[in-house]
Amino acid sequence: MATMTTDKRKSGWAGVAAFVWVVLAVLGIQGLLGRLLQGHHLANYGSYVTWGLWVAAYIYFIGLSAGAFLLSSLIYVAGMKRFEKIGVLALFVSAITLVMALLSIWFDLGHMGRFYYIYIRPNFGSMMAWMVWLYTAYFLLVLTELWLALRPGLVRQAGEEGFKGKLARLLLFGKTSVTEQQLAAGKRWLKILGGIGVPLAISFHGGVGALFATVVARPYWHTPLYPILFLTGALASGGALLAAVVAFLWPKKDEEWASIVTGIGRIVLGILLFDLLLEWAEFSIAMWYSVGPEYELMMRVLFGEYWYVFWVFHILLGSLIPIYLFVRKGNNPIAVGVGGLLAAVTFMAVRLNIVVPALVEPQLRGLEWSYRDDRLLFEYLPSWFEWQVVFFVVALGIAIFYVGYRWLPIVRTSEEA
Amino acid sequence: MEWAISRRRLLSRVTSSALAFAISSAAGVMRLSAAETKTGFDPGEPPPPDADVLLRMQYELRKALQKPVDQRKWVMVIDLRKCVGCHACTIGCVVENKLPPGVVYRPVIEEEFGTYPNVGRRFIPRPCMQCQNPPCVPVCPVNATWKRPDGVIIIDYEKCIGCRYCITACPYNARTFDFGEYFTDGTPHRAPYEEAPSFEYGKKWYRKNEDSPIGNARKCHFCLHRVEKGQLPMCATTCIGRATYFGDANDPDSLVSELIAKPNVMRLKEELGTDPHVYYLT
Ligand code: SF4
């Protein structure tokens, strides 16, 4: 009876999730078509506030990716055996969020067809070029790691009938048998790649922070703390996402599961608190004497028109409630999962508050009155279309996750780890 | 229109050798090598001392064109006390470069200050500062923008991927983005002048089918396509107050060299170390 109720509840939730996904996908495809057919016309960013929601989404997703990856490998490097099981899942989450990040920034380009120029004519003096090269390397590394980790499971799956078998054979490039030696070599490679991955993830995500921090013209970004803040933010949001994914989607809700989730919860709690400390430094130092180039901008972030992005989304929903859940309900995996989900989703508010405020202040006083044009405004609120494009990216990410979750030996391999 | 008349008058004064240059100059984005020597310009006779200041500047400009490009240093000087805030330079620039919505190269900043009855207004035209140390150049991930030997910062529209990093990096908000929009869209007909090509960087640019310069960062280039043909930048010719001066700061006898040695000269945000090539007289 009890199982029946649980099953019912489960399928109820699955129904809701499927419905939400369909809505996201339909709206998202509309957004995608708008982007492909009409370029940037429907977007609200302009020539002055020239980066908007998509850039924020990009740093958000890429942070999730770096965070999930770093957390899993740091745990691994630190030899915390009980987390080893989530290694493959973490890699998978990391690969998907990276794809989501790349898609978001690709949509943002003025010439999407020219993205490869960054490979054929890079300027390595530019932080942006570094970042792209580093995350390309990281992407290849994550894919290779994922493939190596999944190979044993895929080999087993290759013998099955139907779609699962076909998919496994496709991913194995037809080589459906592996020797013990190959497996051992694969494991060795996994270790080596994992070792390379940590500094790579640190440098590329630190690099994303540096992309902003090196811009001398924007005092709001131009702070040495930024690359560090990006890393802690990545670890906090990526870790929180991982906690939520494991809490809600792990097939066997046994004691081990509970111990993994609550363990990640504790780590995320620590990083979240550290992140808040850095943020306090960032705001308090710049604002203390109520004067200086950043003061007014930060006042706008805290008490301006969009105050709720900071206070409601970031502080209340993204920090206080998760911290409460991690501290007071730290032994309850579902509560930790809810806290993780909240912290991970609302971290987008932090990303928006990084990108937009720096751009809403005219570089020269009076510029805001000098030439009337809808694209030459010093204000910005993302358009519905911009959100729709993000919905597309999210729906696609969920779809890839679902394919892996359902038809690839992601969880099974994790369980066998 | 004032600007059109003055432009025609100036055009008529361009010598036939200018035409020869125009024909011989290669199409495509100008990436002049420092080795390039004479452009074939004959500056002609210097204008009489009481002639319009535009004639003197045009003579000096053509004189400078006789030198190799790396020996020229184009600067602009704007006399804020002569600027009347008419925005003719902004509009002249929009017309010359066929600027679409969202793109502006030379807005005129208007400021009001003081309290009644002691109030004042100030107008600050803001072209690209053509910095000696441009913060917008090193950020470009694909080397699509650079400083020419004569100091002008240009963009290769065909290389720019439209990431807009340079737009965020400019401390003067002097770069804007071409969204591919038209002022007369939404009216019964898109006006033909909006589809006329611009001649930036010595090439014909048709804004069609999301092709460049649509989707690119855009900026003031001191009207290089005019300058290289012996004409002053459009904003200098349309300025009704004769508040905008243009010339070669490497020529000690040029008007701009004289002006930037005045004690009331200043530049915007000098503390950043960008070393702008646009000077203001206050
Ligand atoms: S917008 Fe174009 S010119 Fe500017 S940084 Fe990006 S690629 Fe370079």
Side-chain angles (χ1 to χ4, degrees):
Chain A
M1 192 65 196
T3 27
M4 261 182 72
T5 345
T6 330
D7 282 352
K8 254 192 185 169
R9 210 187 305 146
K10 254 192 183 172
S11 67
W13 278 114
V16 172
F19 176 74
V20 171
W21 184 83
V22 170
V23 172
L24 280 179
V26 170
L27 292 172
I29 287 171
Q30 196 188 8
L32 174 74
L33 291 177
R35 171 65 188 89
L36 296 179
L37 300 176
Q38 300 195 53
H40 295 250
H41 296 259
L42 300 170
N44 264 3
Y45 46 79
S47 273
Y48 291 151
V49 184
T50 199
W51 283 349
L53 184 68
W54 298 342
V55 174
Y58 158 68
I59 57 175
Y60 169 66
F61 291 130
I62 212 152
L64 291 179
S65 174
F69 177 84
L70 275 177
L71 203 71
S72 69
S73 21
L74 286 178
I75 290 164
Y76 184 68
V77 170
M80 296 167 88
K81 282 266 183 268
R82 78 164 158 171
F83 293 115
E84 268 191 352
K85 279 201 164 181
I86 59 159
V88 179
L89 188 62
L91 269 179
F92 189 53
V93 168
S94 165
I96 293 171
T97 40
L98 184 61
V99 170
M100 294 165 81
L102 297 182
L103 263 183
S104 309
I105 202 64
W106 186 50
F107 289 137
D108 191 71
L109 289 185
H111 284 274
M112 288 165 68
R114 295 184 190 168
F115 76 92
Y116 65 92
Y117 285 12
I118 215 150
Y119 300 112
I120 59 169
R121 37 175 304 126
N123 163 22
F124 283 118
S126 161
M127 274 320 299
M128 191 179 277
W130 269 112
M131 190 191 68
V132 175
W133 276 66
L134 287 173
Y135 65 52
T136 305
Y138 167 77
F139 189 41
L140 297 176
L141 181 127
V142 168
L143 283 187
T144 319
E145 270 197 63
L146 201 54
W147 186 80
L148 282 174
L150 285 180
R151 191 164 56 163
L154 285 173
V155 168
R156 246 167 287 135
Q157 193 173 306
E160 288 179 28
E161 294 286 311
F163 179 70
K164 270 177 114 174
K166 265 193 203 148
L167 187 66
R169 287 193 290 277
L170 186 79
L171 290 175
L172 285 168
F173 307 109
K175 284 192 176 178
T176 48
S177 65
V178 271
T179 61
E180 283 297 317
Q181 277 157 319
Q182 279 173 318
L183 282 183
K187 273 202 168 158
R188 244 195 343 272
W189 269 108
L190 265 178
K191 267 201 174 159
I192 298 171
L193 292 177
I196 303 173
V198 175
L200 198 58
I202 292 180
S203 38
F204 96 72
H205 203 62
V208 182
L211 184 145
F212 293 92
T214 49
V215 176
V216 185
R218 309 279 172 182
Y220 185 78
W221 292 340
H222 191 48
T223 140
L225 214 53
Y226 249 46
I228 318 286
L229 205 57
F230 267 64
L231 281 174
T232 54
L235 280 167
S237 59
L241 179 67
L242 214 52
V245 168
V246 179
F248 299 122
L249 299 176
W250 200 254
K252 264 198 226 138
K253 309 271 192 289
D254 52 11
E255 268 187 25
E256 205 179 11
W257 158 77
S259 122
I260 294 177
V261 176
T262 52
I264 307 177
R266 264 186 286 276
I267 296 172
V268 171
L269 172 66
I271 301 168
L272 205 57
L273 289 173
F274 184 60
D275 192 57
L276 286 174
L277 177 75
L278 289 183
E279 205 172 8
W280 164 251
E282 187 66 22
F283 277 82
S284 62
I285 302 279
M287 297 183 75
W288 196 258
Y289 292 116
S290 313
V291 67
E294 290 150 275
Y295 173 71
E296 269 179 37
L297 275 179
M298 290 189 166
M299 282 300 279
R300 268 169 93 161
V301 171
L302 299 183
F303 307 111
E305 201 181 344
Y306 305 118
W307 60 272
Y308 53 86
V309 178
F310 184 85
W311 294 109
V312 177
F313 288 101
H314 172 41
I315 295 297
L316 181 67
L317 298 173
S319 307
L320 293 181
I321 296 180
I323 288 172
Y324 171 80
L325 290 172
F326 294 149
V327 174
R328 298 305 296 263
K329 311 260 180 226
N331 291 326
N332 175 348
I334 292 298
V336 172
V338 171
L341 190 65
L342 268 179
V345 172
T346 57
F347 214 78
M348 183 66 187
V350 177
R351 299 316 196 190
L352 272 168
N353 265 342
I354 285 175
V355 175
V356 181
L359 301 170
V360 294
E361 195 69 7
Q363 293 280 20
L364 298 164
R365 286 257 164 242
L367 206 50
E368 63 271 43
W369 318 118
S370 65
Y371 193 83
R372 293 288 168 158
D373 189 314
D374 282 351
R375 297 285 183 199
L376 296 171
L377 300 174
F378 286 94
E379 56 196 53
Y380 170 71
L381 189 67
S383 66
W384 176 240
F385 156 73
E386 286 171 73
W387 282 108
Q388 280 183 292
V389 172
V390 174
F391 293 163
F392 170 77
V393 172
V394 173
L396 186 73
I398 294 175
I400 303 175
F401 183 84
Y402 186 74
V403 169
Y405 185 72
R406 184 87 205 272
W407 287 294
L408 289 178
I410 301 269
V411 181
R412 210 197 303 160
T413 313
S414 308
E415 281 185 328
E416 285 162 5
Chain B
M1 290 214 336
E2 177 78 20
W3 67 267
I5 297 164
S6 60
R7 182 170 179 240
R8 221 173 295 136
R9 205 183 297 143
L10 283 173
L11 269 175
S12 69
R13 290 174 195 261
V14 174
T15 57
S16 56
S17 59
L19 271 176
F21 167 73
I23 293 161
S24 65
S25 76
V29 172
M30 285 184 294
R31 193 156 200 171
L32 299 182
S33 73
E36 188 168 340
T37 49
K38 300 203 176 188
T39 59
F41 261 98
D42 173 10
E45 288 298 308
D50 59 344
D52 190 323
V53 75
L54 286 178
L55 294 180
R56 174 174 173 193
M57 291 193 291
Q58 184 161 276
Y59 166 76
E60 289 168 356
L61 185 153
R62 289 198 224 135
K63 207 168 86 179
L65 285 176
Q66 292 187 307
K67 298 190 290 184
V69 65
D70 59 342
Q71 286 172 31
R72 305 169 204 149
K73 182 179 166 191
W74 297 128
V75 303
M76 194 169 272
V77 184
I78 300 170
D79 190 335
L80 296 183
R81 283 185 294 181
K82 283 191 178 168
C83 174
V84 295
C86 70
H87 298 256
C89 56
T90 311
I91 301 308
C93 171
V94 168
V95 173
E96 172 67 26
N97 296 302
K98 317 289 188 310
L99 301 185
V103 179
V104 64
Y105 291 171
R106 187 182 154 113
V108 178
I109 297 171
E110 293 189 24
E111 273 184 295
E112 260 178 35
F113 45 87
T115 30
Y116 181 81
N118 301 310
V119 288
R121 278 188 100 186
R122 182 168 46 211
F123 311 105
I124 307 179
R126 201 253 33 228
C128 169
M129 299 290 124
Q130 317 291 358
C131 306
Q132 182 65 24
N133 306 313
C136 58
V137 166
V139 300
C140 177
V142 293
N143 289 305
T145 182
W146 63 89
K147 187 175 73 186
R148 284 170 33 116
D150 55 12
V152 180
I153 316 293
I154 62 171
I155 300 173
D156 184 340
Y157 288 153
E158 266 147 9
K159 297 294 174 327
C160 169
I161 60 174
C163 68
R164 313 194 289 291
Y165 195 14
C166 55
I167 298 182
T168 69
C170 172
Y172 305 98
N173 278 133
R175 284 181 177 235
T176 47
F177 183 67
D178 191 332
F179 282 83
E181 292 170 337
Y182 300 85
F183 289 105
T184 51
D185 272 2
T187 64
H189 296 290
R190 182 183 293 167
Y193 63 79
E194 289 212 71
E195 289 185 340
S198 82
F199 299 97
E200 294 175 274
Y201 307 119
K203 194 181 164 184
K204 270 191 189 175
W205 300 98
Y206 290 94
R207 291 178 71 259
K208 272 189 187 148
N209 313 323
E210 305 284 317
D211 289 342
S212 283
I214 292 174
N216 292 132
R218 300 184 64 176
K219 67 180 285 296
C220 154
H221 33 63
F222 276 175
C223 279
L224 267 179
H225 55 287
R226 293 170 57 92
V227 169
E228 295 282 336
K229 292 185 168 43
Q231 300 173 13
L232 290 166
M234 189 50 124
C235 55
T237 64
T238 58
C239 177
I240 62 164
R242 295 288 185 267
T244 297
Y245 305 95
F246 181 80
D248 175 22
N250 277 354
D251 172 3
D253 300 324
S254 69
L255 178 59
V256 288
S257 292
E258 278 172 29
L259 293 173
I260 61 178
K262 295 211 178 224
N264 58 335
V265 76
M266 63 86 137
R267 292 181 294 177
L268 296 179
K269 297 194 179 181
E270 288 216 61
E271 71 283 2
L272 289 179
T274 48
D275 197 358
H277 285 171
V278 174
Y279 297 79
Y280 292 90
L281 299 174
T282 57

